[in-house]
Amino acid sequence: MAHEVVRHQLPLFDEEGRSAATDDEAGRDRHYLPDLPDEDPYAAGHRTCAGCGPAIQYRWVLKAAGNDSVLAGPTGCMYVANSTYLCTPYTVPWAHTPIASGGSFTSGMAAGYEAMIRKGRYPGQYPNIIVMAGDGSASDIGLGAISGALYRNHDALFVCYDNECYANTGIQTSPTTPYAGMTTFTPFGKAIPEGKKLPPKNLAKMMAEGHPHCYVATTTVGYPVDLMNKTRKGLNHVGAAFLHCYTPCQKGWVYQTSMTVELGRRVVEAGLFPVWEYDLENRTYHYFHPPVQRPVTDYLAMQGRFGHMLPEHVATMQRAANQNFRDMGMDVPAELVAGEDPEHHKRLAEETYSMPLNRGVGA
Ligand SMILES: Cc1ncc(C[n+]2csc(CCOP(=O)(O)OP(=O)(O)O)c2C)c(N)n1
Ligand code: SF4
Ligand SMILES: [Mg+2]
């Protein structure tokens, strides 16, 4: 006799409730009140850089998922820095996979748990099965395996932690590295003054359009409750789910260590990383409209990887951001439209830009 496969249904965090944020004078959320779960399956003890965006994302995803979780991690920073011999931050089962195999390994785990539970060989509920792959893995080397897993609809959450480079091997360009983003494989120089010429691959939209039966969403480490709720929605969805999370890399992008979460908001406010959720029934996108719209310079000038940009490069970036705002159904303020003209800009290194707010403890 087949046994029933019982799945978790994780409640969402109430954005209007105790875990709600307090608006600052600009309408941005300032504080997240601490009624988050005590469970912390990604504990202290990892060896990522200070301010590492992927490490912040790992912690929040696992807090949202809880202790009944099993994880896979393809090769990348978050494998190497989290699995030094005899030292690991995980309090739940975790396995390393080759960089190309996060999707296939996780499919196997999902199919295995289903079969074992049905046959009565595994006594518990169906666990939260999660793979967190870097952008090099998810959008490039391991894309085929993840797409296959989504297509076959294995009941697991596939997360891309996107630090916009192959970080672990020395900050090489990946398909999600933005236009003009300097990496060791896209240095700027006389021949190619912008560094990287290509725009970033739109991985999340590829996943949504190509696998319309899956839960697909984007988020950033700038919005913890959004990230945790989308993690839970993806896990609650019976079938495959894909979450694309923007996660700054302090070492590769060259910015002040304390600005990781700030960048996670500015990238959205500058129109460079739309945050959305795919509506499976109507095949539409629900976009988050940031309460603040900024020129791209407010975002770019915080990071050394863009320091070489010339006026025409900044204008190209502003055009892309404005188009994103329009795609999101937002108006583009006149000041940002004016920024599409190179005459409007100096070299990025000489631009004035809005300074980061102090978001230190108690700010
Ligand atoms: C097939 C294969 N090619 C190349 C590598 C070398 N490699 C190890 S980690 C890594 C970087 C992975 O980048 P990403 O997935 O974005 O993760 P990140 O290091 O940025 O966290 C590369 C290229 C490998 N392990 N396997
Ligand atoms: S190189 Fe970047 S992704 Fe890797 S541990 Fe450091 S900050 Fe994190
Ligand atoms: Mg990466």
Side-chain angles (χ1 to χ4, degrees), residues 12 16-17 33 35 42 44 189 193 216 238 251 269 284 295 311-312 331:
L12 298 187
E16 305 301 325
L33 303 179
D35 71 340
Y42 182 76
V216 182
V238 180
K251 177 183 166 196
E269 294 169 351
T284 52
E312 57 270 34
D331 292 333

Side-chain angles (χ1 to χ4, degrees), residues 47-54 77-78 81 161 163 167-168 171 248-252:
R47 296 189 181 184
T48 66
C49 307
C52 173
C77 265
M78 297 307 285
Y161 70 88
N163 57 10
N168 188 242
I171 322 296
C249 167
Q250 188 271 132
K251 177 183 166 196

Side-chain angles (χ1 to χ4, degrees), residues 54 75-78 80 98-100 133-138 141 161 163-169 172 174:
T75 319
C77 265
M78 297 307 285
V80 175
I99 194 168
D135 47 297
S137 174
I141 303 178
Y161 70 88
N163 57 10
E164 300 183 345
C165 61
Y166 282 93
N168 188 242
T169 34
Q172 291 89 25
S174 88

Side-chain angles (χ1 to χ4, degrees), residues 1-5 114 116-121:
M1 191 191 73
H3 294 250
E4 192 190 352
V5 181
E114 287 244 26
M116 286 196 301
I117 294 170
R118 270 208 218 103
K119 291 178 182 175
R121 293 192 193 159

Side-chain angles (χ1 to χ4, degrees), residues 18-280:
R18 281 205 305 127
S19 61
T22 309
D23 281 354
D24 63 15
E25 61 285 353
R28 298 166 107 210
D29 299 332
R30 190 157 41 173
H31 301 297
Y32 285 93
L33 303 179
D35 71 340
L36 300 176
D38 290 336
E39 291 164 297
D40 220 351
Y42 182 76
H46 58 77
R47 296 189 181 184
T48 66
C49 307
C52 173
I56 294 172
Q57 184 229 268
Y58 262 55
R59 186 165 183 217
W60 287 339
V61 164
L62 287 181
K63 244 188 184 308
N67 285 336
D68 193 11
S69 301
V70 289
L71 305 177
T75 319
C77 265
M78 297 307 285
Y79 151 55
V80 175
N82 290 316
S83 61
T84 315
Y85 186 57
L86 291 181
C87 170
T88 170
Y90 300 112
T91 63
V92 293
W94 170 89
H96 166 239
T97 83
I99 194 168
S101 321
S104 40
F105 184 95
T106 308
S107 306
M109 279 206 288
Y113 271 103
E114 287 244 26
M116 286 196 301
I117 294 170
R118 270 208 218 103
K119 291 178 182 175
R121 293 192 193 159
Y122 181 78
Q125 288 192 320
Y126 188 83
N128 296 314
I129 298 175
I130 305 171
V131 59
M132 291 196 265
D135 47 297
S137 174
S139 74
D140 206 5
I141 303 178
L143 173 62
I146 294 183
S147 170
L150 294 182
Y151 183 67
R152 294 189 302 274
N153 210 17
H154 291 283
D155 192 4
L157 174 63
F158 300 82
V159 183
C160 171
Y161 70 88
D162 187 2
N163 57 10
E164 300 183 345
C165 61
Y166 282 93
N168 188 242
T169 34
I171 322 296
Q172 291 89 25
T173 188
S174 88
T176 61
T177 304
Y179 165 79
M182 193 182 72
T183 66
T184 50
F185 280 7
T186 52
F188 68 94
K190 279 190 188 145
I192 308 179
E194 66 270 61
K196 186 178 179 190
K197 290 170 88 78
L198 293 170
K201 183 185 277 188
N202 198 333
L203 175 66
K205 286 234 167 143
M206 269 176 73
M207 294 312 204
E209 295 291 331
H211 315 86
H213 53 286
C214 299
Y215 174 85
V216 182
T218 68
T219 187
T220 86
V221 292
Y223 303 95
V225 177
D226 186 67
L227 167 54
M228 294 177 78
N229 273 341
K230 284 174 176 166
T231 298
R232 288 193 163 184
K233 285 184 189 178
L235 290 169
N236 289 345
H237 174 75
V238 180
F242 182 79
L243 192 55
H244 184 179
C245 185
Y246 165 97
T247 55
C249 167
Q250 188 271 132
K251 177 183 166 196
W253 301 9
V254 191
Y255 62 86
Q256 285 177 44
T257 306
S258 60
M259 288 297 140
T260 303
V261 170
E262 178 70 22
L263 283 171
R265 292 179 171 215
R266 286 193 175 214
V267 73
V268 178
E269 294 169 351
L272 293 170
F273 189 91
V275 166
W276 49 260
E277 196 171 36
Y278 182 66
D279 178 342
L280 285 88

